[in-house]
């Protein structure tokens, strides 16, 4: 080996450059940058996106090739910088992965004491967060509000999305809370109680409101006194009239399902009423209008019955169907005396289906077609 020179090696699996050697003379003032440029005959910008490492340590482009760092036959690795992924100049690549992930992690709000949060739901309005003050209302999901705050938000259209199911007064249930005797407005703790069991309305006990009368009772009271009447006003209620206040996730899911079911039913009813008002006979379950049946004669109605009969008997009563069809009424069967059947039939549009022509006048259309 020439004593005045030594060799270093480099390779780049990323660029598919196999192991190569560079022979350095002791008078060379070349740097790693020169070496890079000698490898790529392209723009400097492209060249700058690669760097050398030695034993995993990145090297600056200005590092002279003839440095004590490079022992003879040191192997350099040529690597590409990962843009936007660290190691792109902004980061040295020396940070731990954990630091890196933390840098981009979303900042979480300070942890809220779950106990405090639960308590707040029972003492304060779910919307305004102000202490509960009568008159109070609940929504169909069991959230409790100060009525004034809720109505104001509703009018001002400032209701947050989570309360989007409250569209008007009809979606609020006025509740009657039982004030704990001797407690005034200034106190921060529970102000209301179960009128029967005396349990405080503070989140430690389950409470529900009755939809019809608005009385708020503890679950304990209703368990002890099994009754289908309100324990305060003795008004009757059904199980579905009980709305759990500030229920857990599962209870809210149940309430939400019940609410959407009721909304759908109401919509359907509304549509039916509208149709009847418009003079249309309402729509039956199959979505087939009764009027449609009437227009096409009694045929369909009768056929339906015949089919039902077949299914009901379990026997195939095709005879029944044909009998019924034969009995179908035809006006021409009772043509008046002195009128030929054809002439009499011509009065009825149904008699001449084949030679019917559409004209400019819609009145000439047969009944079922206009
Ligand atoms: Zn009641």
């Amino acid at each position: 080996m020439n004593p005045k020179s030594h060799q270093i090696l480099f390779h780049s699996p990323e660029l598919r450059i196999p192991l190569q050697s560079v022979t350095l003379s002791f008078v060379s003032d070349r740097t790693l940058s020169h070496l890079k440029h000698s490898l790529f005959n392209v723009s400097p910008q492209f060249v700058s996106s690669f760097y050398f490492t030695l034993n995993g340590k990145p090297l600056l482009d200005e590092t002279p090739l003839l440095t004590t760092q490079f022992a003879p036959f040191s192997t350099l690795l040529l690597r590409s910088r990962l843009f936007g992924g660290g190691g792109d100049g902004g980061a040295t690549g020396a940070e731990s992965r954990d630091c890196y992930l933390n840098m981009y992690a979303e900042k979480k709000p300070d942890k809220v004491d779950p106990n405090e949060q639960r308590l707040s739901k029972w003492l304060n309005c779910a919307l305004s967060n102000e202490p509960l003050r009568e008159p109070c209302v609940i929504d169909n999901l069991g959230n409790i509000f100060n009525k004034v705050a809720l109505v104001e938000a509703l009018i001002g259209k400032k209701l947050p999305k989570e309360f989007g199911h409250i569209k008007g007064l009809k979606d609020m249930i006025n509740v009657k809370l039982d004030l704990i005797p001797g407690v005034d407005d200034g106190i921060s703790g529970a102000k209301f109680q179960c009128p029967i069991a005396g349990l405080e309305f503070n989140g430690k006990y389950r409470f529900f409101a009755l939809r019809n009368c608005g009385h708020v009772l503890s679950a304990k009271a209703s368990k002890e006194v099994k009754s289908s009447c309100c324990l305060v006003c003795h008004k009757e209620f059904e199980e579905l009239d009980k709305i759990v206040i500030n229920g857990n996730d599962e209870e809210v899911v149940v309430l939400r399902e019940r609410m959407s079911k009721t909304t759908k039913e109401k919509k359907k009813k509304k549509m039916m009423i509208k149709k009847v008002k418009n003079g249309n006979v309402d729509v039956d379950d199959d979505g087939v209008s009764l009027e449609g049946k009437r227009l096409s004669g009694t045929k369909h109605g009768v056929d339906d019955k015949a089919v039902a009969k077949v299914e009901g008997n379990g026997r195939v009563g095709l005879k029944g169907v044909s009998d019924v069809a034969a009995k179908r009424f035809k006006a021409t069967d009772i043509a008046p005396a002195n009128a030929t059947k054809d002439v009499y039939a011509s009065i009825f549009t149904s008699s001449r289906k084949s030679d019917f022509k559409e004209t400019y006048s819609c009145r000439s259309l047969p009944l079922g077609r206009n």
Side-chain angles (χ1 to χ4, degrees):
M1 204 212 286
N2 187 344
K4 295 234 163 184
S5 69
H6 77 254
Q7 277 187 325
I8 56 169
L9 306 166
F10 73 90
H11 68 127
S12 176
E14 277 174 59
L15 297 168
R16 295 187 184 169
I17 298 173
L19 199 64
Q20 293 184 20
S21 68
V22 190
T23 307
L24 303 164
S25 88
F26 279 106
V27 289
S28 166
D29 59 352
R30 296 203 310 163
T31 62
L32 287 176
S33 177
H34 289 111
L35 180 58
K36 265 197 329 191
H37 279 90
S38 68
L39 290 170
F40 313 106
N41 194 13
V42 282
S43 71
Q45 215 182 347
F46 178 77
V47 174
S48 71
S49 60
F50 294 95
Y51 66 103
F52 281 104
T53 64
L54 177 64
N55 300 326
K57 257 178 144 180
L59 301 165
L60 293 173
D61 278 359
E62 298 79 57
T63 312
L65 288 173
L66 210 64
T67 163
T68 48
Q69 260 182 293
F70 304 149
F73 303 107
S74 305
T75 307
L76 305 182
L77 186 64
L78 185 61
R79 308 192 57 183
S80 67
R81 300 185 199 279
L82 297 168
F83 287 103
D88 57 355
T92 62
E95 296 101 338
S96 74
R97 186 178 156 75
D98 197 40
C99 281
Y100 180 72
L101 291 175
N102 276 340
M103 192 162 72
Y104 289 98
E106 259 179 57
K107 297 277 179 294
K108 279 181 198 149
D110 289 339
K111 267 194 184 164
V112 183
D113 181 2
N115 248 355
E116 215 165 90
Q117 209 177 12
R118 193 199 64 217
L119 200 68
S120 158
K121 269 168 84 180
W122 289 83
L123 304 181
N124 304 320
C125 166
L127 179 70
S128 67
N129 230 9
E130 282 171 358
L132 286 175
R133 199 170 293 133
E134 292 202 278
C136 293
V137 290
I138 59 166
D139 63 5
N140 285 307
L141 301 181
N143 296 302
I144 187 159
F145 305 89
N146 284 336
K147 189 172 184 175
V148 177
L150 185 58
V151 171
E152 273 175 5
L154 199 64
I155 292 169
K157 292 184 176 162
K158 285 178 200 149
L159 216 53
K161 220 176 176 180
E162 57 176 311
F163 300 126
H165 55 276
I166 305 170
K167 305 245 159 53
L169 288 173
K170 63 178 179 6
D171 299 316
M172 303 175 197
I173 298 146
N174 292 303
V175 288
K176 293 169 192 139
L177 292 158
D178 192 42
L179 209 65
I180 298 173
V183 169
D184 59 49
D185 228 22
I187 261 170
S188 60
K191 267 185 284 192
F192 306 105
Q193 64 175 4
C194 169
I196 305 299
L199 300 173
E200 285 188 4
F201 193 74
N202 60 6
K204 282 186 190 156
Y205 313 100
R206 271 160 53 86
F207 274 79
F208 56 82
L210 298 174
R211 190 185 288 277
N212 296 334
C213 62
H215 282 117
V216 176
L217 301 163
S218 67
K220 197 179 172 215
S222 74
K223 221 181 232 173
E224 279 173 9
V225 190
K226 280 218 166 115
S227 166
S228 58
C229 299
C230 171
L231 296 170
V232 182
C233 67
H234 309 292
K235 202 168 180 180
E236 270 194 49
F237 69 87
E238 287 174 34
E239 202 54 32
L240 288 177
D241 295 328
K242 283 162 79 173
I243 299 169
V244 180
I245 295 179
N246 293 329
N248 58 32
D249 291 350
E250 286 150 31
E251 286 165 333
V252 172
V253 166
V254 172
L255 286 173
R256 197 179 284 279
E257 275 168 9
R258 201 189 289 170
M259 182 175 71
S260 66
K261 206 176 153 192
T262 319
T263 317
K264 265 183 208 159
E265 274 168 11
K266 269 186 193 163
K267 245 185 203 168
K268 210 174 169 187
K269 236 181 220 172
K270 225 179 182 178
M271 263 171 65
M272 276 176 162
I273 291 167
K274 225 181 189 177
K275 285 221 161 163
V276 171
K277 267 188 188 164
N278 287 345
N280 295 332
V281 180
D282 78 45
V283 171
D284 62 16
D285 281 350
D286 318 324
V288 180
S289 130
L290 293 174
E291 195 164 16
K293 278 181 186 168
R294 205 163 298 150
L295 276 176
S296 56
T298 51
K299 192 176 151 197
H300 291 158
V302 171
D303 280 358
D304 284 351
K305 256 186 225 162
V307 172
K309 209 169 163 188
V310 170
E311 285 167 353
N313 291 340
R315 272 177 276 139
V316 183
L318 276 175
K319 197 169 163 264
V321 177
S322 57
D323 277 353
V324 171
K327 275 181 206 155
R328 186 148 48 103
F329 171 75
K330 268 189 178 170
T332 49
D333 291 346
I334 50 158
N338 306 326
T340 61
K341 251 188 174 183
D342 287 347
V343 173
Y344 185 61
S346 69
I347 302 170
F348 307 102
T349 51
S350 61
S351 66
R352 285 185 298 135
K353 276 172 190 150
S354 52
D355 54 72
F356 168 78
K357 270 184 205 156
E358 280 188 28
T359 67
Y360 63 90
S361 164
C362 65
R363 283 187 196 169
S364 65
L365 291 170
L367 218 58
R369 295 188 56 179
N370 57 7

